[in-house]
Amino acid sequence: MASVFDVTLVCLILAVGAWSTFARLTFSAIVIFIVYGLLLSLAWVRLAAVDVALTEAAIGSGVTGMLLLNAVARLRSTDAAPTPSRSSVNIAAGVFCTLITASLAGLVLVPPQVPVSLAPSVMESLGQSGLGNPVAGVLFVYRSLDTLLEKVVLVLALIAVWSLAPDGLWGGKPALRPFPQRDSVLIFLARTVPPIGIMVGIYMFWVGADEPGGAFQGGAVLAAMWILVMIAGLAAVPPTSSHALRLALIVGPVVFLAIGILGIFLTGTFLAYPEGYAKPLIIAIEATLTVSIGVTLAMHVVGPPEKEWRS
Amino acid sequence: MTLILDVFTIAAVTVGVFFFVIAALAFLRFPDGLTRLHALTKVDNVGLGLIVFGLLPQAGSVMGALKLICVWLLVQFSGAIVTQLIARSTRREGQEA
Amino acid sequence: MAAAETSSIAGLLLVSVLILPVVGILAQLALGGRFLNWICLAVFPASFGVSAATCAVVWSHGEPLIYIVGGWQPPLGIALRADGISAAMMLVTAIIICAVAIFARVEFTQPSGAPEARAPFVFWALILALWSALNALFLGCDLFNLYVALELLTFAAVPLVCLKGGEATVKAALRYLLFALLGSMLYLMGTALLYGAYGTLDITLLAQRVHPERVTWIAAALMTVGLLTKTALFPLHLWLPPAHAGAPAAGSAVLSALVVKGSFFLIVRLWFDAMPGLGHTAGPQLLASLGAAAILFGSVMALRQQRLKLLVAYSTVAQIGYLFLMFPLAMAAEQSWTSLAWTGGWLQLFSHAFAKAAMFLAAGLIADALGHDRINDLGGAGRLRPLTFCTFGLAGLSLIGVPPSGGFVAKWLLLSASVAEGQWIWAAVIVVGGLLAGGYIFKVLGRAFTAGSDAPVIVTPVSLSREVVAFSLAVGAVLLGFFPLEPAEILQIGRPEILGSTVP
Amino acid sequence: MAIMNAITIFGLCAAALVGLGIFGLIVNPQPLRKILAINILGSGVFLMFGVIARRGAAAGLGGDPVPQAMVITGIVVAFSATALAVALLLRLVLVSGAATLEAEAEPSEKDGR
Amino acid sequence: MTLGEVLLVATLAVPLVTLVLALSSGSHRRTTILLVLAAIPALLTALFAESGTTVVLPQALLSLVLSLDLPGRLLLGAAALLWIATGAYAVLSRRGRENDNPFPIWWLATMTGSFGVFIVADLVGFYLFFTLVSLSAYWLVVDDGAPPAKRAGAVYVSFALLSEAFLLLAFVLLAVATRNDSFLIRDAVAAISTSPLRDPAMAFLVLGFGIKIGLVPFHVWMPLTYASASIPVAAVLSGATVKAGVIGLIRFLPFGVPLPGWGETLTALGFVSAFYGVLIGITQTNPRTILAYSSVSQMGLIAAVLGMGLATGNSITPAAAAFYAMFHILAKGGLFLAIGVAQKTRHRTEWTVLLPAAVVVLGFGGFPMTGGAIAKYAIKSPLGDGDVAMLAMVSAAASTLLMLHFLRCLRASRSHETRTTSAAEQSFIWLAIVVAVVALPWALYPAVIQASAHDALSFDALWKATWPVLIGVLLFGVLGRAPRILPMIPPGDIIVLQSWAWSGAKALGDATERIDEYLRRWSIAGSLLLVVTLALIGSFYVGR
């Protein structure tokens, strides 16, 4: 029988999700969405996927929440749009959505006869790569092409965001407005929390090889700390044309690609790690990835350049 | 021995939850933003403290217990600062409106 | 499997086809704007060479080229597979992207000495990303890997639409992105269901494990509709006209000719490779009827457009419909790849790619030269820019399906297939589509080549080199017309291995 | 009869979230709320992956690591999609002053080029 | 490569080379003498290449198959003559006039298509040249860009595209009937007559070629096009390019096996067109429109001849129809040139134009000793001697009436400004055509019908030829007294009816635009997406 906690958690998630969808004000919708994200990471813990819970909390609701809050602050002027009207189209859409949900629920209720899983084959050959965490194994050993392509997607999305700046401001500084007053409390926070945060981020990346954690989650924490410092005004927002920023952006994918190509010369196949050296190589990849992901996520939140900057 | 610890944990956690319930009630009852904020932070910190305190014996290892305490400290710390910021901004909005 | 099971040197071609454009983007970010021209000069020819080499290897061996990435066999790892149709698609993509690159070289050059400019930097990064994503789509053998490639494609296509930054183009780009994301999420849900039911996402393994049951139908439906949103088939075409009309000329050429075909390629992979069982259901008929509606609706809308770029965009909506006629016709045959409709469908895709790229480039040149692209005011412009309108005409011939053009051979094969299998409705739709296409092509050419009320004036001179590039693409569409009128051998490479053993 | 164990509950929750996400995306006129709905839809799809992973628990693991790795990649891709959508929306508001997706006027004349 | 094969290839190669030459040299603005010379190889092929020579071009040239048979040779020769004459006329009339539209390019393209259609022997090749001749003629029609020309061009191109659509379907049916192994027309026609696809194929063939030769419901484009095109263009369109439809019917109808069903329908269509053309023609006043309706009538007659041949399975019908069509090419083209020449001659010397025109006109009626007489005698055998032959006689009388009406309108419509610059040479071309019209049929008759010409001179044949002409003259006399009784019908007659079809199409277009605007609303598109998903799931369950 499903435990009471699970049932309440699911009901809570659905309630908060519905509330966020139908909230009158966009600002409250987004705040509720962040709560929804945290509840979801609880659900991931219940589904015994701690890695994913960390990712959901860090990226799914953390950084995305920051992004949406920043957006709603900018859009405050156009917020008074009415809630969805009760027109016939909406009712029809509702009916179709329930039909889709019903068909999916029907599938969920009838689990496949023979449970099918790749877990045994993952565990059986995980030992060769020296990694302890199976999810990290899948990400960086078995399906490393996915991870590489996904990194390229992240970098390309950033180029796309930057491309939305007007011609004149290309290479300029993104307009993250630091907190207006020279307020002591936020600066105090920005001075004390980041060291802990950075330590937690690095710990998360480091432990990722054997325990749940990894480059993505660590990178997200680092990004959060950097944004906190920038908002408090302690650190200047780097111009998008700064050489250091761009190098930091691409150091992750470049190292990943280099090691992949190295695999061709040493073992004859792309993205294959030579015997015995798998773990150090993967750690090297993850280290640079953490830095790149951190910088990229922060730059996504900060947005396209909006101020003149002549280096 | 474990029985005593379990009883202790259950007691502490229930009291903690009780504090949270009060905080929620206060949040709904109080008229304006500042008083709600006041109620929330104070009561939640105490509630969380009690729950963490109650769970300490359940934590597997000493490291686990330390992590729990770190979590509590971090929540205390950031909660207080964030409350300050929200209070200031609601007061400033109060003056402008 | 009989295929060349290698991670050999030839297999490395497949990897380099994926990786070279990505290296280009990373180099662009690392070195900045000053070296932009050098990077492009290095990466584009290299990528073209590798694509052509892969195509040559696959066509000469007559066997698909398989490469196991990272050395782990498919259920666990990811394989890259280049069979006949993916080699052909890679070749067409390489040719069109290089032609568009030469065309765009004038408009998007980084001025030497000046600080890094936005448009050139972004344009070349997006084109390279598009190329890498398309190659990943053609070679991918794992459904989730194809999802990531699809997202890479969308994220490269959306900013291309609003590169010029006008209000309408940004709105079109946002609509395109949101609708495409909805599609991707449905596709992802389908992948989840398939993995839950059969334990693998590799297409060749799926072909052996899939059997007709509820989870397969729902997964196939979700994935197909997810891909239909990106292919902009008739009822789901809301984003295509403003997006393709608003993009810069070079951008809209690549968008219409290639990006829309990438997701179509996946639908073919899904229906013909992963789940051939779908052929015995009424699914292909539904897809073809949507295609037929697209042909009729798109052509009538194209006839009514007042602006040239919108006319060409709606013509894309119509021509996509033809591709979906391939499903019922090819799947009716016992071995789908030997039927006339299979070759006809692919030829339609290739000739439309060439013709539409040429048409959008020509439309862009006309808009640049005359300062506007209102069709009614094109009176007599044919004399001012004869080569551009000649390009538009040649490409138009391929769309109408007039010999000697690729469009004609494709229509002939599709008509023969529909007549041979007695599905007359598709034959009627093809012919009416050709008529309507003739209508809107002659509407434009008629106004261009006959003296209008006020003599048009050239606003900004257009260099002949750009016109020659557009003309060469149109000639490409015509050269496809010399294809023999029977099922093409090279498009059948690698088909039997997937389906030979198990056709449920 | 379908066993109503914990995993199935989360499966039903995933299905419901997918329906909710699609409904929110279709119905809500505001683009920012549409982006929110896409994130809810995405979380629903990833939850389905989680349920399938949990059902594939074997060889001493709590769940099949392959779908879990896919979810991590999916979340990062979904984030970059959200970031691009938000940037586009902000640019749209900057340029047109209104945050609406309905194309009232066809691309106006000045975009004729 | 024998002489014949070289000539065959040259027929197409020379015009194409000239076209490329004109394109590249930039001299495509001025119409040079090359236009005339490009048609010479075709004439030589018709004269010297012996029937039956076939050439298979390499794969690089779409593996076209060119072959010359008797009907093809006759039509090719006559068309070449007409192209040379009208080419010379065009060169003279446009000398020095800097024209913007690339006239020579489209002239040469239409010429290539027109010659190609007569000598090509495979399906795809025929469709290629048929399209070439139809679509490039559009640019000749809209050459001077005047508004009526544009409207006529639009009507012309829509009918041309419609005919091509039908033909594409027909050819696909033929190809499928031969299981796609050989694309030769001969094999396709042989295979289709026995295959189940015969009826649809025949229907599309008759429709496709019917539109091209202007059978009644589809004839509206002819009067509009011929009235608004320039004189040489109208001459060559009414003469040579229309015959693409005739050669199509000759090649694609299975004359070997009698097909009474299709034969009768074609004959009926033919005679309806024949009489309809005359009925409307006599109400017109513009000489060009009258000639257009005379074309509709004559083409109707040829269709009737082919129909009867098909019904009775008479094997010499193709040759007879081609012979009559040859006469029609030269006569109709010549009369259009006559209009051009008449507008330039002075009042005093008008008889130099009207007298030869009278000879040609009487030929249409089949007056003895004229070219028309021998042509009508040739098509007598396929028509048999029942009531169909009587109908043919009546149609001869009717066309005599129409042509006399044409003569009167020609005389009345002569403009009085007397430009005599190139009039002399042009009238020389006109006279050359008249000589050809009279002499050529008599000369070629023995070779074509394998019977001596002198039994056509027997007394009863002569009498059978003269009484329809007499009736025609009589009717013309009666009509002359009371011109008021005839209603005024605008050229293109039922095109006026089709204007409501045009407004219907516009309404449909508006509705489509509203639907598209509705479908592209976000919430509608989203719901449609879900509908398509559910429909797909449903369709998978159906037919499993």
Side-chain angles (χ1 to χ4, degrees), chain C residues 427-500:
Chain C
V429 166
I430 291 171
V431 165
V432 168
L435 258 174
L436 291 171
Y440 59 75
I441 296 295
F442 270 91
K443 169 183 170 185
V444 173
L445 292 181
R447 283 189 172 64
F449 280 108
T450 50
S453 50
D454 47 3
V457 66
I458 292 288
V459 171
T460 49
V462 170
S463 71
L464 186 63
S465 68
R466 296 171 74 194
E467 286 185 307
V468 164
V469 170
F471 184 71
S472 57
L473 279 176
V475 165
V478 169
L479 288 183
L480 278 174
F482 293 93
F483 221 81
L485 288 174
E486 76 261 345
E489 233 305 297
I490 45 174
L491 295 178
Q492 297 168 9
I493 299 174
R495 305 306 312 153
E497 281 81 12
I498 286 185
L499 304 173

Side-chain angles (χ1 to χ4, degrees), chain E residues 139-158:
Chain E
W139 302 102
L140 291 178
V141 169
V142 294
D143 171 38
D144 52 19
K150 274 196 191 163
R151 181 165 170 273
V155 170
Y156 171 80
V157 84
S158 34

Side-chain angles (χ1 to χ4, degrees), chain E residues 298-365:
Chain E
Q298 294 300 318
M299 286 301 122
L301 188 63
I302 293 180
V305 166
L306 287 169
M308 282 311 293
L310 190 62
T312 57
N314 178 333
S315 63
I316 66 154
T317 319
F323 188 73
Y324 190 83
M326 177 197 74
F327 159 74
H328 185 262
I329 290 179
L330 294 173
K332 189 49 59 63
L335 284 180
F336 266 102
L337 293 186
I339 297 176
V341 167
Q343 272 157 9
K344 293 195 175 66
T345 55
R346 271 191 306 281
H347 193 65
R348 276 190 294 76
T349 60
E350 66 176 3
W351 59 271
T352 58
V353 175
L354 291 181
L355 199 58
V359 168
V360 172
V361 152
L362 288 179
F364 272 92

Side-chain angles (χ1 to χ4, degrees), chain D residues 4-50:
Chain D
M4 287 304 282
N5 61 20
I7 307 172
T8 317
I9 293 283
F10 284 108
L12 298 180
C13 171
L17 286 179
V18 165
L20 186 67
I22 295 178
F23 182 73
L25 178 59
I26 292 175
V27 161
N28 216 308
Q30 277 193 326
L32 196 57
R33 304 296 288 273
K34 288 186 196 292
I35 297 171
L36 211 67
I38 285 185
N39 278 300
I40 292 180
L41 169 63
S43 59
V45 172
F46 296 137
L47 207 59
M48 185 63 92
F49 266 99

Side-chain angles (χ1 to χ4, degrees), chain E residues 297-470:
Chain E
S297 146
Q298 294 300 318
M299 286 301 122
L301 188 63
I302 293 180
V305 166
L306 287 169
M308 282 311 293
L310 190 62
T312 57
N314 178 333
S315 63
I316 66 154
T317 319
F323 188 73
Y324 190 83
M326 177 197 74
F327 159 74
H328 185 262
I329 290 179
L330 294 173
K332 189 49 59 63
L335 284 180
F336 266 102
L337 293 186
I339 297 176
V341 167
Q343 272 157 9
K344 293 195 175 66
T345 55
R346 271 191 306 281
H347 193 65
R348 276 190 294 76
T349 60
E350 66 176 3
W351 59 271
T352 58
V353 175
L354 291 181
L355 199 58
V359 168
V360 172
V361 152
L362 288 179
F364 272 92
F367 191 74
M369 300 319 290
T370 61
I374 192 69
K376 283 216 185 299
Y377 187 78
I379 61 171
K380 200 173 301 305
S381 73
L383 284 177
D385 41 22
D387 49 9
V388 170
M390 184 49 66
L391 268 178
M393 291 301 151
V394 170
S395 84
S399 49
T400 320
L401 163 69
L402 182 64
M403 295 322 282
L404 291 176
H405 177 61
F406 160 73
L407 263 186
R408 188 176 61 210
C409 296
L410 179 66
R411 191 159 168 279
S413 74
R414 266 187 318 95
S415 69
H416 296 296
E417 37 89 14
T418 56
R419 248 175 349 96
T420 62
T421 48
S422 56
E425 300 93 340
Q426 284 172 344
S427 55
F428 169 72
I429 299 169
W430 151 243
L431 291 177
I433 291 275
V434 168
V435 164
V437 164
V438 173
L440 215 57
W442 287 94
L444 291 178
Y445 181 78
V448 169
I449 311 295
Q450 278 81 33
S452 72
H454 65 71
D455 55 12
L457 298 176
S458 65
F459 179 73
D460 76 335
L462 284 180
W463 168 243
K464 275 216 183 80
T466 42
W467 68 261
V469 173
L470 293 182

Side-chain angles (χ1 to χ4, degrees), chain E residues 36-112:
Chain E
V36 181
L37 302 182
I40 303 287
L43 188 60
L44 300 178
T45 320
L47 295 177
F48 302 114
E50 67 279 5
S51 300
T53 51
T54 54
V55 173
V56 181
L57 296 177
Q59 162 67 20
L61 292 170
L62 281 172
S63 62
L64 293 177
V65 177
L66 307 178
S67 88
L68 196 64
D69 56 358
L70 183 58
R73 225 172 136 185
L74 278 173
L75 291 175
L76 184 68
L81 266 177
L82 186 65
W83 275 100
I84 292 170
T86 44
Y89 187 94
V91 165
L92 291 174
S93 68
R94 302 172 81 96
R95 184 185 304 126
R97 186 153 71 89
E98 179 64 39
N99 179 290
D100 299 341
N101 194 320
F103 177 79
I105 292 173
W106 300 117
W107 179 271
L108 288 166
T110 319
M111 179 194 293
T112 323

